[in-house]
DNA sequence: AACTTGTCCTGTCATGCCGTCAGCTTACCG
DNA sequence: CGGTAAGCTGACGGCATGACAGGACAAGTT
């Protein structure tokens, strides 16, 4: 479907080339975890990968281009997140467990890919369409299934009509993303990890069902 | 209290110097609004301010340093945000109005200072202590007053003891910040501004009081 | 084994930004 | 009017960028 991997100058990349390309992506990913995005230089990535800057430019137009590549693969991977919500019940104790699982799964996913998601967030906030398309794809799986859940509850009359399902799902997802990206930011307020999750669980449950979760 | 403004090489800045300095800050602020943070160059800022790069380096160690400066003044300004919550009632119709005012005021503030806050967010997420200290100061005014509100409701028995006030306030504030920073991100989901605010209002009210707002 | 073909990598170069310094100009003050 | 400190900039070495041409290499062909 995606055709073959191509170099910037149009050649088709072979086995060896793809390996080099992948190595560059891996190194970039690692560097993003340890130094500020603004300071990541092509030459450093190339050095770390044991190759030269010129090679980097054969496979990517610039650092941003390479980040987009990584983010894209992340977007594909994120499809599995919808299983955190799809087909789960929001009633009684099961509802609480669903909310808990969603919070937990989402936070874990975010933390695992922190470095890339930071850059995606920035790009999207800056209005770059390529980045916010990817951000949307990543959040979409959760957002869509949450929207469905709320719509369903609404049709059963268990949630008020004043709620806009898509808006509510979006707000909750953005909240989770925001918290995941700034977990350290809670420490100065004296909030520990262990207290954060129950709170988020409660909020998600409240948002989706309009009711507090069962004990 | 803050002593005098000083140049990087230790001189005291006079009237003229402070003007130049301020002009550089203004130009930087404007550039951050129109081009990606990663691409903002000292030379461009200097040119725009009608001066030379060397002058820039007299007043700031680097671009980041200048951004911190702007962010700092923003942090001072943000103190007024606490009035959105402090002394307001969370009961009945007044409660709804309080939630509404908070959402509205917060979103407006965030949008007005979008460009800088984006960079602060990134810096904080990347673990830079200077940035996340500032981010905390900005969110603190709202966060603290919200925490107080929740504690008070809790002491009156109107909110369950299972809620951790600081964690709940933090989650709500982060949600607002997240939504404010990605308002465009909702469009592809078919969510309009007008639908977003009521949803946030509802969530804030639910989070603080545990109950839906009055019609 | 020599040749061919197409992929893959690197040396090199022009360009432009970074960050610093010495030194010139301007403003203020006695 | 001369001294002093503030304010600004030209110029420079250093480094990243991005483009290109040519060499190295693997695989198949004769």
């Amino acid at each position: 479907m995606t055709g073959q991997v191509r170099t910037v100058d149009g050649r088709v990349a072979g086995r060896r080339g793809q390996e080099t390309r992948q190595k560059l992506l891996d190194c970039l990913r690692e560097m993003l975890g340890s130094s500020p995005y603004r300071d990541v230089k092509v030459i450093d990535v190339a050095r770390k990968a044991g190759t030269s800057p010129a090679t980097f430019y054969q496979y990517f137009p610039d650092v941003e281009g390479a980040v987009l590549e990584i983010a894209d693969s992340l977007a594909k991977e994120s499809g599995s997140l919808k299983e955190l919500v799809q087909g789960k019940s929001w009633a009684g104790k099961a509802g609480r467990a669903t909310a808990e699982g969603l919070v937990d799964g989402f936070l874990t996913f975010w933390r695992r890919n922190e470095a890339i998601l930071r850059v995606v967030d920035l790009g999207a906030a800056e209005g770059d369409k390529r980045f916010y398309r990817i951000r949307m794809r990543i959040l979409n799986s959760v957002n869509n299934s949450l929207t469905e859940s709320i719509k369903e509850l609404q049709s059963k009359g268990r949630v008020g009509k004043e709620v806009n399902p898509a808006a509510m799902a979006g707000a909750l997802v953005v909240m989770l993303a925001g918290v995941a990206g700034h977990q350290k930011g809670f420490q100065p307020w004296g909030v520990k990890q262990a207290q954060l999750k129950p709170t988020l669980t409660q909020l998600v449950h409240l948002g989706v069902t309009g009711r507090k979760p069962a004990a």
Side-chain angles (χ1 to χ4, degrees), chain A:
Chain A
M1 189 63 35
T2 55
Q4 292 141 315
V5 179
R6 287 185 172 272
T7 59
V8 169
D9 55 340
R11 280 199 308 252
V12 181
R15 198 210 75 231
R16 196 171 149 221
Q18 296 205 22
E19 274 173 21
T20 309
R21 199 182 124 99
Q22 192 54 50
K23 188 165 202 171
L24 284 168
L25 288 177
D26 292 343
C27 290
L28 171 56
R29 192 171 201 153
E30 198 180 329
M31 299 208 75
L32 282 175
S34 61
S35 59
Y37 176 49
R38 197 168 201 281
D39 296 339
V40 171
K41 308 289 179 195
V42 169
I43 197 171
D44 297 323
V45 178
R47 262 202 286 262
K48 195 180 180 77
T51 176
S52 76
T55 300
F56 182 96
Y57 287 109
Q58 271 211 328
Y59 296 106
F60 312 102
D62 48 27
V63 173
E64 198 181 274
V67 171
L68 275 167
E69 192 77 17
I70 302 178
D72 195 72
S73 70
L74 203 55
K76 284 183 188 120
E77 202 182 314
S78 74
S80 62
L81 285 179
K82 70 163 159 278
E83 289 160 21
L84 293 172
V85 178
Q86 229 165 40
K88 305 255 172 160
S89 158
W90 286 94
K93 282 195 178 177
R96 183 192 193 83
T98 301
E100 233 158 31
L102 172 57
V103 168
D104 212 48
F106 196 93
L107 256 54
T108 302
F109 173 82
W110 211 265
R111 189 140 16 121
R112 204 196 318 279
N113 306 103
E114 219 180 346
I116 297 297
L117 290 167
R118 269 198 310 255
V119 180
V120 172
D121 260 16
L122 176 68
E126 276 176 342
D128 186 311
K129 285 194 182 151
R130 298 166 303 170
F131 277 113
Y132 100 43
R133 205 180 299 271
I134 285 186
R135 187 172 193 269
M136 199 188 74
R137 263 206 292 154
I138 293 175
L139 299 183
N140 243 352
S141 46
V142 172
N143 192 65
N144 286 346
S145 31
L146 255 188
T147 304
E148 282 312 309
S149 294
I150 300 177
K151 272 188 189 162
E152 201 182 315
L153 288 172
Q154 218 168 29
S155 74
K156 287 184 189 162
R158 300 184 61 87
V159 167
K161 277 176 294 186
E162 78 282 1
V163 174
N164 178 311
M168 179 57 84
L172 290 174
V173 169
V174 168
M175 173 185 74
L176 289 175
V179 172
H182 292 282
Q183 296 188 53
K184 284 178 204 143
F186 282 87
Q187 286 165 14
W189 291 330
V191 177
K192 303 237 170 66
Q193 284 287 333
Q195 301 167 318
L196 199 50
K197 276 190 196 169
T199 306
L200 292 174
T201 301
Q202 166 121 344
L203 260 175
V204 167
H205 195 281
L206 274 169
V208 174
T209 68
R211 296 163 198 282
K212 293 185 210 172

